[in-house]
Amino acid sequence: MKNLIASGLSLIAMLLIVGCGSNEKRTPQEYNNELMTIINGNEQEISKMNAAMTASNYDQATIVQKEWSAAVDRDIKKVDSIGAYKDDKQLQEAVLDGLKGYKKIVNEDYPKLIEIRKSNLTDPTGEQQALENINAAFENMANKVNVASDAFEAKHVK
């Protein structure tokens, strides 16, 4: 019985090592696609937030904000655990920076925007500034990730 348990544990350990795989075993396209899928998952959250804000459902927007913040935390952990591709950290770092940018927007700019709209305060400057911060950050993050993705493909896809 002890041998069976020991054999079972050894098998599980070996499967974990082989199953988890390393980035060395992934093709560059698989690695790139995995990271892009993670960061592009935020598009769903953006759509949920836009729907709530357009409907003036600020309670729902607050729920989306909290769920999105938790999702970004999970995404950051995923990208950290994926690691670099053959010691090339450029794409991973760009995606992490993008996710951290989402985190900042979600935790700082959206709550301000929600509060301004929810309270019916006349604060066109504050509202406009929050919107400009959000849009500029989205554009900046997308550009940086796209540049890193293109550079990664140019370097690794032969």
Side-chain angles (χ1 to χ4, degrees):
M1 184 66 155
K2 289 182 183 179
N3 287 340
L4 183 60
I5 292 171
S7 296
L9 291 175
S10 296
L11 179 62
I12 290 171
M14 189 170 72
L15 287 174
L16 284 173
I17 291 168
V18 172
C20 290
S22 70
N23 291 327
E24 308 294 321
K25 294 181 182 176
R26 290 186 189 137
T27 67
Q29 294 90 343
E30 290 169 335
Y31 179 81
N32 189 355
N33 288 343
E34 185 172 7
L35 293 182
M36 292 303 106
T37 298
I38 291 169
I39 197 161
N40 289 339
N42 285 276
E43 294 296 324
Q44 294 173 348
E45 303 301 329
I46 293 168
S47 294
K48 289 179 197 175
M49 181 61 78
N50 287 340
M53 296 297 275
T54 299
S56 299
N57 187 343
Y58 304 119
D59 291 334
Q60 180 62 33
T62 300
I63 292 168
V64 170
Q65 181 269 327
K66 290 177 183 174
E67 290 173 352
W68 189 1
S69 179
V72 171
D73 287 338
R74 287 189 301 272
D75 289 346
I76 289 170
K77 287 179 184 175
K78 279 184 207 173
V79 173
D80 273 335
S81 71
I82 289 170
Y85 184 82
K86 296 184 180 183
D87 295 326
D88 182 352
K89 295 181 180 185
Q90 182 181 6
L91 180 57
Q92 180 197 21
E93 288 175 354
V95 171
L96 283 171
D97 286 347
L99 290 169
K100 289 173 185 174
Y102 279 128
K103 182 76 174 170
K104 184 178 184 308
I105 292 167
V106 169
N107 288 338
E108 294 177 18
D109 294 310
Y110 272 115
K112 288 177 190 174
L113 183 61
I114 292 167
E115 187 56 37
I116 289 168
R117 290 185 178 176
K118 185 176 186 176
S119 65
N120 289 321
L121 293 175
T122 306
D123 186 3
T125 304
E127 183 175 358
Q128 188 61 34
Q129 185 62 53
L131 289 169
E132 287 175 10
N133 289 347
I134 291 167
N135 290 329
F138 283 157
E139 185 176 337
N140 187 31
M141 287 181 298
N143 288 338
K144 286 181 179 179
V145 170
N146 288 334
V147 165
S149 178
D150 290 346
F152 178 83
E153 287 182 3
K155 183 175 181 181
H156 295 286
V157 178
K158 307 291 183 205

